[in-house]
Amino acid sequence: MTRTMAVLLLAAVPACTRAPSDNPTLTAVDGILVGHHTLAERPTGCTVILADGVVVAGVSQRGSAPGTRDTDPLEPVNGADRVDAVVLSGGSAFGLDVANGVMRWIDEGHGPWALRPTDVPIVPAAVLIDLWVGGKPSIRPAADCGYRAAGAASRAPVAEGTVGAGAGATVGKLTGLDRAMKGGIGSAAVALPGGLRVAALAAVNALGDVIDPASGTVVAGARADDGSLRDVRKLLRTGAPLQRTRVAENTTLAVVATNAHLTKAEANRVALMADAGIARAVTPAHTTADGDTVFALATGRWSGRADTNEIGALAADVLAAAIVRAVKQATTVAGIPAARDIK
Amino acid sequence: MGIKAVFVAALATITVSVLVAQPFRAAESNATLTAVPGIKVGHFTLSERPTGCTVILVDGDAVGGVSQQGGAPGTRETDLLNPLNMVDKVNAIVLAGGSAFGLEAATGTVRWLEEHNIGWPAGASRVPIVPAAILFDLGVGGNPKVRPTADCGYKAAAAATTAPVPEGTVGAGAGATVGKFGGPGRSMKAGIGSASIVLPSGLIVAAIVAVNAVGDIIDPATGKVVAGVRNPDGTLADARKILRDGGTRQTPRAGENTTIGVVATNAKLSKSLAARMALMADDGYARAISPSHTNGDGDTIFSLATGQWDGNADITVIGALAAEVVADAIVRAATQATGVAGIPAARDLRK
């Protein structure tokens, strides 16, 4: 639906604007490169978002069970005025190791930008928890994953579904892991006639169900005995017994990006507003068993002016769309069915 | 009026005793915030201009929390609700119109509580703990010098009962409007709304929200706009479409907006979990308001846990239900409002 809307919208875009109809993903934003690396031994992996140029960042960390690194520098009162990359990874807190590989890759001078010898790469990271999926929980993304994902990063449309940080992601776990469905990674973008672009990438591993906010219907989530979707909103309202929620199985991670220029405080407001996209597309969201975290990146490549509220509102919109795409593009792994398989 | 209030209070007391035995019927008779035993609500609406205040009184102790996500807040005693800080009991919460001037309403509620010897023990005295949040309605219906004062907070506290909460253009919602992303003259009237959920186990979660958002009100069950920016012909424009089209819009200003509310449960929560409940309840704002949490909104939601129910419920369930009732209350704030000062309400569009 959202993709269709974006295409319809872009039909009206003047020819001078590069329409993201050929790239409705995060890399539609100038200055953003994305690379995945998916492990072969178990469904897990990492996704690296590289920042080409001076990219200002903010964060909204609202889930109760986060695994993060270098989010404190993004506080407006703290010093870092740019980031070099953002890492999203599977593997629980072990997956934070991925950022080491990205730092090494940047430090070796492979990036699309020139580093001075004394520069320290700023690489915030957040992890999701997929250790239970597909056996062998000792298999998790390590520094090598980050190094390879950074090396694979490009401006091409971002691959979606069961890949990178979304490889082991699942959703709909409120009635037990045996009733879960496959999550994944999804992306969406919007381009306005004036040249403003706002895009999102989401790795969706939520405890809750995924809802399409445009219709209020469940796209993927907890299943009944016959395999149909139960709708946890109804279950919650009737007081039906739920599985005890556990920390070790959830978390939705996202990056929203814009080509607008934002201050660090504005980037944090955009991250906060974008977080509404998680609230709209995931029910329940921000639980004690989710480490939900949203990063916002502003590349400043577009010289036009846009209001922070407009960018934040569009960021929430594209983030919700990216979450819906994550489950629609996912494919079944390890016996956990994807939305496309239950229709 | 006095006799009527006593009668309503007595009726509500009967309702509460019925509730203990048969939770579902009680929910039907009081689908508002006062479905939570120990919570009383009183409105006071000014006659000079559409504005007012709403006081939520806690009969006994309640643990409080807050989620403050909007960019233009006006608040009082929210730092106290930080789980790192000491005081973990709340006596009342005040929601008021009148912009930052309206924070004065809490002064009157504090006075009323002191007169009733209610407050945090501090040596020989008791200090009433009254967090408050305000919304910005100075531009609605005439003289902006008219705003809720201490008198409003005192009268609303005195009027508080356990009866079902009146909704619509009343109390803190009297001057509330929505749909301001399209500029002046295209907004709609909203107000204050309330909703509750009662589970067979006895767990109750309920909300009251005064809705004065920049954004449109969306029914999350259908994705449809309930009230918001109007087209020149008076039909709903849908702010989400305006944004995606890059169409005409107005930069939200910090003098016109803000959604404020309270979500309450009869469950027992620690102060940290009350804060988590408020944070999750905030998702109701995100779902029922688009855009939400802008720089021109001071969006704030308080949580209260009375602990009068001795059952066990996971915070995930309580927080998820909190988000649900908050979204329900927001939709009701729009559907129950009546037009004032030439600003039409959702019910006027349906005619």
Side-chain angles (χ1 to χ4, degrees), chain A residues 62 269 279-280 309 317, chain B residues 69 244 276 286-287 295 328:
Chain A
R62 305 261 292 162
R269 171 62 49 188
R280 289 173 192 154
N309 301 295
D317 209 11
Chain B
Q69 291 266 298
R244 277 194 171 256
R276 173 60 47 184
R287 289 173 190 150
N295 257 331
D328 288 351

Side-chain angles (χ1 to χ4, degrees), chain B residues 118-327:
Chain B
I118 296 167
W120 181 264
S125 50
R126 284 182 172 268
V127 179
I129 306 299
V130 184
I134 50 84
L135 58 81
F136 300 82
D137 59 6
L138 300 180
V140 177
N143 188 356
K145 296 277 185 197
V146 175
R147 43 233 182 185
T149 62
D151 180 63
C152 185
Y154 187 91
K155 287 180 173 163
T161 76
T162 56
V165 183
E167 299 168 283
T169 303
V170 62
T177 53
V178 298
K180 286 161 272 186
F181 224 75
R186 296 173 66 182
S187 65
M188 284 180 64
K189 186 74 188 76
I192 197 161
S194 195
S196 67
I197 294 173
V198 180
L199 297 191
S201 63
L203 174 69
I204 304 173
V205 183
I208 187 166
V209 186
V211 183
N212 187 45
V214 169
D216 285 7
I217 305 310
I218 311 292
D219 184 346
T222 61
K224 291 199 161 63
V225 180
V226 181
V229 183
R230 288 170 298 140
N231 291 313
D233 68 359
T235 56
L236 291 166
D238 195 337
R240 296 167 299 185
K241 291 203 179 99
I242 294 176
L243 276 159
R244 277 194 171 256
D245 293 347
T248 318
R249 65 197 165 268
Q250 178 95 348
T251 298
R253 290 184 297 186
E256 296 166 353
N257 314 293
T258 289
T259 298
I260 49 181
V262 174
V263 60
T265 180
N266 60 350
K268 190 176 177 63
L269 297 178
S270 66
K271 198 176 173 188
S272 294
L273 290 182
R276 173 60 47 184
M277 179 188 177
L279 186 154
M280 289 181 72
D282 209 320
D283 286 348
Y285 284 14
R287 289 173 190 150
I289 303 171
S290 188
S292 59
H293 305 129
T294 75
N295 257 331
D297 284 292
D299 299 345
T300 303
I301 185 146
F302 297 100
S303 62
L304 292 172
T306 65
Q308 292 189 16
W309 176 64
D310 53 13
N312 266 310
D314 191 301
I315 183 61
T316 299
V317 172
I318 296 169
L321 291 174
E324 292 279 313
V325 287
V326 164

Side-chain angles (χ1 to χ4, degrees), chain B residues 20 66 83 254 343:
Chain B
V20 174
V66 67
I343 306 165

Side-chain angles (χ1 to χ4, degrees), chain A residues 129-212:
Chain A
I129 313 192
D130 59 6
L131 300 179
W132 68 279
V133 176
K136 290 186 287 185
S138 61
I139 305 289
R140 45 236 180 181
D144 178 64
C145 184
Y147 192 90
R148 287 168 186 250
S154 79
R155 293 181 170 81
V158 182
E160 298 168 285
T162 303
V163 63
T170 52
V171 300
K173 287 161 275 188
L174 262 170
T175 60
L177 296 182
D178 56 335
R179 302 304 173 86
M181 285 179 63
K182 190 70 188 72
I185 200 159
S187 196
V190 62
L192 297 195
L196 173 68
R197 292 186 176 201
V198 184
L201 177 71
V204 182
N205 187 46
L207 176 67
D209 286 5
V210 172
I211 311 291
D212 184 346

